[in-house]
């Protein structure tokens, strides 16, 4: 009787282990091939994405590379892929998650420059292929000046000095990128401005190499992006193989230090499309 009970217990443990292993395998395949979860840790993409937004990255959008697998690095990857499989070209204006070429962490920015594009900032205005983008003034972006997200980051304000609990303002405009056909407008999104004299409000011309891309944050004065060269510790150009996927929709959002602080949830951002 005791032996039968012991065998039954062993069989139950074995089935439990099998279930866990299969669940982990299915989750790993799903995360590798289809969607990757991503939390927004900083304010570099405001007001498109806020600190504490949670989204799933569409990994099918651009195909697969060595960085499509979890735990991948420049020296090791569970996905032994050279270049990209089932590759599809990203479009100017996409919000993209990619692996930082030198820091080996995932970043999220907006794709501004395609291969062959000439990118330059002149007096804070983005110029693409010698032409300034279209801009339309919008009401200022407002937020409370207080620690945000798990890292407790404090936002920078155009109206500083602002005390904790005060209203933090940033200038806001709608920026329209050029379309695929010369002379036609492309996609539009909001950008924020904090200072008129930031260090990359005026830049040289960046010519995007073949097979690489130029990224910028929508919160233009609070973003480490391709305007800063890798030689100076910045992002620089991003090779195509480093793309992870496209951000299409915010699934959940919390303004607090933890997602369990339900009183800080932003219900108006649940399932919000990423423009």
């Amino acid at each position: 009787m005791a032996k039968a009970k012991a065998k039954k217990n062993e069989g139950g443990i074995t089935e439990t282990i099998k279930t866990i292993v299969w669940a982990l395998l299915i989750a790993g395949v799903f995360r590798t091939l289809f969607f990757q979860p991503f939390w927004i840790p900083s304010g570099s993409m405001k007001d498109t994405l806020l600190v504490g937004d949670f989204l799933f990255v569409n990994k099918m959008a651009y195909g697969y590379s060595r960085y499509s697998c979890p735990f991948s690095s420049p020296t090791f990857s569970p996905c032994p892929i050279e270049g990209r499989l089932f590759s599809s070209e990203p479009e100017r204006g996409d919000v993209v998650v990619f692996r930082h070429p030198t820091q080996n962490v995932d970043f999220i920015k907006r794709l501004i420059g395609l291969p062959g594009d000439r990118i330059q900032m002149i007096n804070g205005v983005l110029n693409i292929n010698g032409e300034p983008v279209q801009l339309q003034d919008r009401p200022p972006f407002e937020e409370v000046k207080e620690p945000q997200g798990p890292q407790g980051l404090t936002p920078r304000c155009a109206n500083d000095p602002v005390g904790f609990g005060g209203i933090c303002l940033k200038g806001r405009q709608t920026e329209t990128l050029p379309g695929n056909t010369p002379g036609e407008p492309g996609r539009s999104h909001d950008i924020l401005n904090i200072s008129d004299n930031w260090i990359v409000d005026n830049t040289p011309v960046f010519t995007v190499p073949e097979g690489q891309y130029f990224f910028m944050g929508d919160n233009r004065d609070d973003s480490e992006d391709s305007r800063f060269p890798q030689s100076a510790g910045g992002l620089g150009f991003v090779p195509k193989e480093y793309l992870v996927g496209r951000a299409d929709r915010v699934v959940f959002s919390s303004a607090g230090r933890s997602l369990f602080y339900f009183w800080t949830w932003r219900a108006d951002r649940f399932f919000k499309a990423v423009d």
Side-chain angles (χ1 to χ4, degrees):
M1 187 77 173
K3 288 183 178 180
K5 188 174 182 180
K7 286 183 178 179
K8 184 177 181 181
N9 288 338
E10 288 177 4
I13 293 171
T14 301
E15 288 303 314
T16 300
I17 293 173
K18 286 182 178 179
T19 300
I20 293 173
V21 170
W22 276 110
L24 291 174
L25 286 173
I26 292 170
V29 170
F30 184 86
R31 188 182 187 279
T32 299
L33 296 180
F34 302 109
F35 299 99
Q36 175 177 316
F38 191 86
W39 283 97
I40 303 300
S42 73
S44 68
M45 282 295 294
K46 293 177 181 176
D47 66 348
T48 302
L49 297 170
L50 304 182
V51 177
D53 281 351
F54 175 78
L55 47 87
F56 283 104
V57 180
N58 180 357
K59 302 182 79 169
M60 299 175 287
Y62 310 130
Y64 306 96
S65 75
R66 61 183 292 112
Y67 296 102
S68 298
C69 273
F71 315 114
S72 295
S73 72
T75 57
F76 168 79
S77 174
C79 297
I81 299 172
E82 293 294 332
R84 298 196 76 86
L85 296 178
F86 311 111
S87 179
S88 180
E89 292 299 317
E91 297 182 2
R92 187 187 288 113
D94 284 355
V95 177
V96 180
V97 171
F98 54 87
R99 188 64 54 87
H100 194 293
T102 62
Q103 298 181 17
N104 196 36
V105 294
D106 287 341
F107 266 41
I108 185 166
K109 304 288 181 187
R110 190 176 298 277
L111 177 54
I112 297 297
L114 301 172
D117 282 344
R118 303 184 313 279
I119 309 297
Q120 185 178 22
M121 295 294 292
I122 301 176
N123 297 324
V125 177
L126 172 63
N127 284 248
I128 300 178
N129 297 325
E131 297 291 333
V133 296
Q134 300 177 27
L135 295 171
Q136 182 178 357
D137 290 336
R138 294 278 315 282
F141 174 74
E142 299 184 9
E143 59 184 339
V144 177
K145 187 163 188 179
E146 60 184 2
Q148 298 179 349
Q151 300 180 39
L153 302 177
T154 303
R156 294 172 55 209
C157 313
N159 58 327
D160 271 331
V162 177
F164 274 12
I167 298 299
C168 178
L169 300 177
K170 295 177 178 64
R172 176 164 50 181
Q173 294 176 301
T174 295
E175 178 181 85
T176 301
L177 300 173
N180 296 324
T181 303
E184 290 189 0
R187 295 162 65 175
S188 297
H189 55 272
D190 286 349
I191 59 170
L192 303 184
N193 180 60
I194 301 172
S195 169
D196 292 330
N197 299 294
W198 202 43
I199 52 177
V200 283
D201 276 349
N202 289 281
T203 71
V205 176
F206 301 97
T207 301
V208 185
E210 186 64 31
Q212 302 193 47
Y213 301 97
F214 190 97
F215 289 94
M216 293 175 63
D218 292 347
N219 190 1
R220 291 288 162 81
D221 294 345
D222 198 15
S223 174
E224 178 197 327
D225 51 39
S226 293
R227 292 171 292 177
F228 297 91
Q230 294 175 12
S231 59
L235 176 62
F237 300 118
V238 177
K240 185 175 183 178
E241 68 179 273
Y242 285 78
L243 304 187
V244 174
R246 186 181 64 218
D248 292 331
R249 189 171 297 274
V250 174
V251 177
F252 173 83
S253 184
S254 173
R257 298 292 295 270
S258 168
L259 63 88
F260 297 107
Y261 296 171
F262 64 86
W263 56 91
T264 66
W265 292 356
R266 306 182 184 106
D268 61 321
R269 296 188 64 78
F270 291 10
F271 305 104
K272 179 180 174 64
V274 176
D275 295 323

